[in-house]
Amino acid sequence: MITIIIIYMHRFFIFCIICSSITFLHYPALAASSGYTVADIQRIGLQANGLLQAARSEVDIAQAEVTSASAFPNPEVTFMAGPDSPRLPEIDTGPSSMQRQVTVSQSLENPWMRRARIEAAESGVDVSRANLEQVRADLAAQLRIHIYEFLLRRGLAEMESDIFELMREIQQRIKLSVELGETARFELIRADTEVMTAASRKEAALLDTERARIALLQLTAGALPPEFTVAASLDDPVEQPTLDALRKELSTQNPEIQRLEAEQARARLRIDQERASVLPSVDILFSNFQDKQFVSNTAGLSVRIPLFYQRRGEIDAAVSSAAKIRQTLDYRRYEVDRLLESAWQAKEIARRRVEMFEGGIVKEAETALRVAEVAFRLGERGFIEVLDTQRVLRNARSELLQAQFELQSAAAEIDRLRAYYPQE
C-alpha cells in the first residue's frame, strides 16, 4: 500500500513539473519580468507627472479661447417705461398716459478682424501643443538620464562592495600572519585603515544610489513602487540616425522651434487684427415706442468712425512683437543646431572612451589585480602592491561606468532635441 502511495506521489510531482514548464513556455513575459524598462518608466512618468498634466490643461484652455474667439456678439436690448407728467391743463393735453420704449442693438463684426482673431486663437492652440510637446520631451529626457544615473550609482556601489570584501579578506590574512609572527603589526594597522576607508566609500555609494532612486520616484510622482527594479544596463546599445538625418529631422520635430513658429504666426495675425480694427464698426438699431395715442417703429445704423485715433500704438506694438519673435526664432534655430552638434560630439567622445576602457584597460587592470592577489597569497608581494593594483582597477572601472553614463546622457539629449520618446 505504501509503495502504491509513493508511486502516485511521484507521478503527481512529475505532473506538477510538466505543468510548470508549460506555464513558463506560454508566459515568458511573466517568467522574465525582472523590472521596469527605460521605456516603461518614461511612460509612467509622462502619465503621472503633475507639470505635464498642467501643460495638457494649457492646451484645453487654448481650445476654449478658440471657442470664445469664434462666438458672435450678443444683441443688446434696452427697455424704458414711465408715466407722462402734463405741464398744461388736462383739458388741453388730455389725460396722462404711460410711455414704453424697447430698443434692440446688434453689432455687425468686421469679417477681416473676426477671421484674424479666430486664426490667432487657433495659433495659440498650436503654441500650447508645442509647449506640451516640449514638456514631454524634457521630462522623458530627464527620466532617462536619472534612470542611467541610478544604474551608475548602483554600479559604483557594487564596485565599492567588491573592494570592501577584498580589503576585508586581505585584512584577515594579514591579521593571521601577525598572530603567527610572520608580519609586522604595522601592516595590520594599514589594512584596518584601508578596510574602514572602503567601508566608508561603500556606505556613501549606497546612499547615492538611494538618492538617485528617490529622484526617479519624484519625477514619476510616486507612480513607481518604492522598491522598484530597473531592467536596463549602462552598456545598453545606443542607435540613432546620422548627424545629417538628425539635422533634417530637427527642423520639423524640435518642439521649441515649432512653438516659436506658431507664436510667429499668431503675432502676424494679431497685426492683421489690429489693422482691421481701424475700419469703421457698425451696429444695427431697432426701436419701438408706444404711448396712449401713438406707436412708433424706427430702425437705423450706429457707425463708430476711428477719426482721431487709428490704433497706431497697438499696431506698432504688434509689429515689434512679431519682429522680436522672428529674431528669437532665427537665433534658436541656430542654437538648437549647435546643441545637436555638441551632443553628437559628446556622444562620440563617450563612445570612444567606452571602447577604450572595454577594449583593454579594465581587462589589464583586472589581470594585474589577480596576479597581485596570487603573489600576495604566496608571500611574493606585499600589501602595498595589491593596494596599488586595486586602486588602478577601481579608477578604470569608475571611468568606464562614467563614460557609459555620459554616452547614455548624450543620447538622451539628442532625443530631447528631436522630441523622440515613447508615447503614453
Side-chain angles (χ1 to χ4, degrees):
M1 184 66 180
I2 296 175
T3 304
I4 296 174
I5 294 174
I6 293 173
I7 292 174
Y8 276 107
M9 290 179 63
H10 183 263
R11 290 179 179 177
F12 178 76
F13 179 74
I14 294 175
F15 174 77
C16 291
I17 293 177
I18 293 174
C19 291
S20 300
S21 302
I22 294 173
T23 304
F24 179 83
L25 292 174
H26 282 280
Y27 298 95
L30 294 176
S33 176
S34 58
Y36 294 91
T37 64
V38 175
D40 291 338
I41 296 177
Q42 285 179 313
R43 290 190 182 96
I44 292 173
L46 291 174
Q47 189 67 31
N49 189 273
L51 293 178
L52 193 58
Q53 300 294 339
R56 289 194 184 98
S57 298
E58 290 292 334
V59 176
D60 297 335
I61 293 172
Q63 291 174 342
E65 290 177 354
V66 174
T67 303
S68 301
S70 304
F72 290 97
N74 293 318
E76 295 181 5
V77 179
T78 304
F79 175 79
M80 293 184 295
D84 290 333
S85 298
R87 292 183 299 171
L88 298 176
E90 185 175 345
I91 191 172
D92 295 330
T93 61
S96 61
S97 64
M98 178 70 71
Q99 291 186 358
R100 295 184 301 275
Q101 182 176 358
V102 178
T103 303
V104 180
S105 174
Q106 175 64 54
S107 296
L108 294 181
E109 269 198 306
N110 183 339
W112 295 280
M113 186 173 66
R114 173 181 172 81
R115 182 180 61 189
R117 185 180 69 243
I118 294 174
E119 291 179 353
E122 291 173 347
S123 297
V125 176
D126 295 336
V127 171
S128 299
R129 286 174 177 166
N131 185 63
L132 172 61
E133 196 72 10
Q134 180 70 62
V135 175
R136 280 174 173 163
D138 291 345
L139 178 59
Q142 289 180 23
L143 285 166
R144 182 173 176 181
I145 290 174
H146 278 78
I147 290 168
Y148 285 106
E149 183 182 1
F150 169 71
L151 296 175
L152 170 66
R153 301 303 176 189
R154 190 177 67 180
L156 291 174
E158 292 174 354
M159 180 189 69
E160 296 296 347
S161 298
D162 294 340
I163 293 173
F164 173 73
E165 295 298 330
L166 174 62
M167 290 297 101
R168 193 165 61 175
E169 179 184 351
I170 294 176
Q171 178 197 34
Q172 295 299 324
R173 289 181 176 275
I174 293 177
K175 183 178 180 180
L176 180 60
S177 298
V178 170
E179 292 175 354
L180 295 176
E182 299 176 355
T183 305
R185 190 167 187 82
F186 173 74
E187 294 292 331
L188 180 59
I189 296 174
R190 180 180 294 173
D192 292 341
T193 303
E194 291 297 331
V195 168
M196 288 188 291
T197 302
S200 176
R201 289 200 303 262
K202 174 185 174 182
E203 292 299 324
L206 290 173
L207 289 175
D208 287 339
T209 304
E210 191 61 26
R211 180 181 57 82
R213 179 189 295 274
I214 293 173
L216 269 177
L217 291 174
Q218 179 182 355
L219 282 177
T220 56
L224 286 173
E227 299 300 326
F228 65 91
T229 57
V230 180
S233 175
L234 282 172
D235 58 356
D236 288 342
V238 175
E239 298 179 358
Q240 289 177 329
T242 62
L243 183 58
D244 292 336
L246 286 172
R247 281 200 183 98
K248 295 178 181 178
E249 184 178 354
L250 214 62
S251 60
T252 58
Q253 297 297 325
N254 183 264
E256 188 171 5
I257 292 177
Q258 291 179 342
R259 178 180 61 82
L260 289 172
E261 288 176 346
E263 286 187 357
Q264 185 181 31
R266 182 170 60 176
R268 287 197 298 262
L269 290 166
R270 281 177 178 171
I271 296 174
D272 297 339
Q273 182 179 346
E274 293 297 337
R275 286 175 176 169
S277 65
V278 178
L279 298 175
S281 58
V282 179
D283 293 344
I284 299 177
L285 304 175
F286 174 79
S287 180
N288 175 264
F289 175 81
Q290 296 182 14
D291 63 4
K292 190 172 182 179
Q293 296 180 349
F294 303 98
V295 174
S296 174
N297 293 315
T298 58
L301 297 175
S302 174
V303 182
R304 288 185 294 273
I305 302 174
L307 183 61
F308 299 106
Y309 182 63
Q310 298 183 350
R311 303 184 64 83
R312 191 71 259 168
E314 287 81 356
I315 294 174
D316 291 343
V319 171
S320 299
S321 178
K324 174 185 174 182
I325 295 173
R326 183 179 66 253
Q327 293 161 1
T328 304
L329 175 60
D330 293 339
Y331 174 73
R332 287 302 296 166
R333 278 175 177 162
Y334 172 80
E335 189 176 28
V336 167
D337 192 61
R338 299 288 78 78
L339 288 173
L340 175 63
E341 288 187 0
S342 177
W344 181 269
Q345 295 299 330
K347 185 185 75 169
E348 293 302 314
I349 292 172
R351 191 190 301 276
R352 294 191 189 99
R353 290 183 61 202
V354 169
E355 293 173 353
M356 178 179 64
F357 282 102
E358 287 181 342
I361 295 178
V362 174
K363 293 180 181 179
E364 291 177 0
E366 290 174 347
T367 302
L369 180 60
R370 285 195 296 269
V371 172
E373 288 181 22
V374 173
F376 174 76
R377 293 190 184 98
L378 296 177
E380 297 178 359
R381 291 289 186 273
F383 174 60
I384 296 298
E385 285 78 2
V386 178
L387 191 61
D388 289 340
T389 53
Q390 177 268 320
R391 286 173 178 168
V392 171
L393 176 60
R394 177 178 178 271
N395 292 334
R397 289 178 63 184
S398 299
E399 290 290 336
L400 173 59
L401 292 173
Q402 188 65 35
Q404 290 174 336
F405 171 71
E406 291 174 358
L407 174 61
Q408 299 293 342
S409 298
E413 174 64 12
I414 293 174
D415 287 344
R416 183 189 73 84
L417 292 173
R418 65 184 183 130
Y420 182 80
Y421 55 87
Q423 299 297 321
E424 298 99 316

